[in-house]
Structures are given as structure tokens and as C-alpha cells.
């Protein structure tokens, strides 16, 4: 990921370069959002949850909760759970399926 901030606007954008199957799929799944007269690709809520979960900082967990609060039942939890299981094969990320279950159980 390559974070960039526009000096004039103060807007920060994270550019994600595809290195893994998940990242390639997340890029393919982006949703075009109109912004300042342009259509800008944004990660789906599910992919944003997974990216933030993988990063795992306290701020990221707060961001995940915000996504869950806004998206509610629209989230594709099966997709999130599938990738969490795959990520759990990475050393240090074994707890991701449990963390997803906790997030899912604590919504509302």
C-alpha cells in the first residue's frame, strides 16, 4: 500500500498494488463512487473490513466497527469469514477467524 496526501485538499488516498490473490480480487471488486466530477474506485465494505482486520491496529478495529454499523446486514459475512480463514494460515494471523466471529456476534 502506498499512502498519498493531497496538500491542497488534505485528502489522503491509499493506493493498493496487487501482490496477492486477495489484493487482486479486492481491486477487481472495487466500486466506482462519484467524487468531484470523477468516478473513483473504492474498496468494498467487506474488503475494507479485511484490510483493516489484517492491519489490526486499535484505530483499524474502530474503523471496522464503523463499517459494520453503517452497512448492517448488507455485509457479506461469508466472504469475510472465508478470507479470514485463509489469512489465518499466515503466522501471527491465526486469530482472525475468531476476531471476525466476535465482530459479527457483537454487531447492533
Amino acid at each position: 500500500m502506498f499512502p498519498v496526501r493531497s496538500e491542497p485538499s488534505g485528502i489522503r488516498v491509499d493506493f493498493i498494488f496487487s501482490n496477492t490473490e486477495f489484493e487482486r480480487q479486492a481491486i477487481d471488486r472495487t466500486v466506482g463512487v462519484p467524487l468531484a466530477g470523477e468516478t473513483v474506485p473504492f474498496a468494498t465494505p467487506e474488503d475494507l473490513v479485511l484490510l483493516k482486520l489484517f492491519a489490526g491496529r486499535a484505530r483499524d478495529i474502530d474503523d471496522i466497527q464503523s463499517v459494520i454499523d453503517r452497512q448492517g446486514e448488507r455485509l457479506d459475512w461469508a466472504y469475510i469469514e472465508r478470507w479470514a480463514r485463509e489469512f489465518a494460515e499466515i503466522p501471527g494471523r491465526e486469530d482472525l477467524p475468531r476476531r471476525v466471529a466476535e465482530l459479527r456476534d457483537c454487531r447492533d
Side-chain angles (χ1 to χ4, degrees):
M1 182 164 45
F2 182 65
V4 177
R5 182 175 305 275
S6 166
E7 291 299 323
S9 69
I11 295 173
R12 179 184 161 178
V13 175
D14 292 334
F15 289 94
I16 300 173
F17 299 94
S18 171
N19 291 320
T20 68
E21 180 185 344
F22 169 73
E23 291 168 331
R24 284 188 292 278
Q25 187 171 347
I27 290 169
D28 287 343
R29 288 170 37 92
T30 58
V31 178
V33 175
L35 183 66
E38 299 290 331
T39 300
V40 180
F42 280 83
T44 65
E46 293 83 2
D47 291 325
L48 182 59
V49 165
L50 287 161
L51 290 164
K52 297 268 183 192
L53 186 65
F54 193 86
R57 299 170 299 183
R59 169 60 193 226
D60 294 311
I61 303 306
D62 290 344
D63 290 344
I64 291 170
Q65 191 57 57
S66 179
V67 171
I68 292 169
D69 291 346
R70 286 190 176 105
Q71 294 299 313
E73 295 300 316
R74 292 185 302 262
L75 283 174
D76 182 349
W77 284 101
Y79 176 85
I80 295 170
E81 290 165 345
R82 178 176 70 87
W83 278 107
R85 285 190 304 274
E86 291 206 26
F87 291 158
E89 296 176 14
I90 299 169
R93 299 293 193 259
E94 298 86 356
D95 68 334
L96 293 186
R98 176 188 57 78
R99 295 182 73 191
V100 167
E102 289 171 355
L103 288 164
R104 187 173 187 177
D105 292 344
C106 291
R107 66 179 193 257
D108 297 327

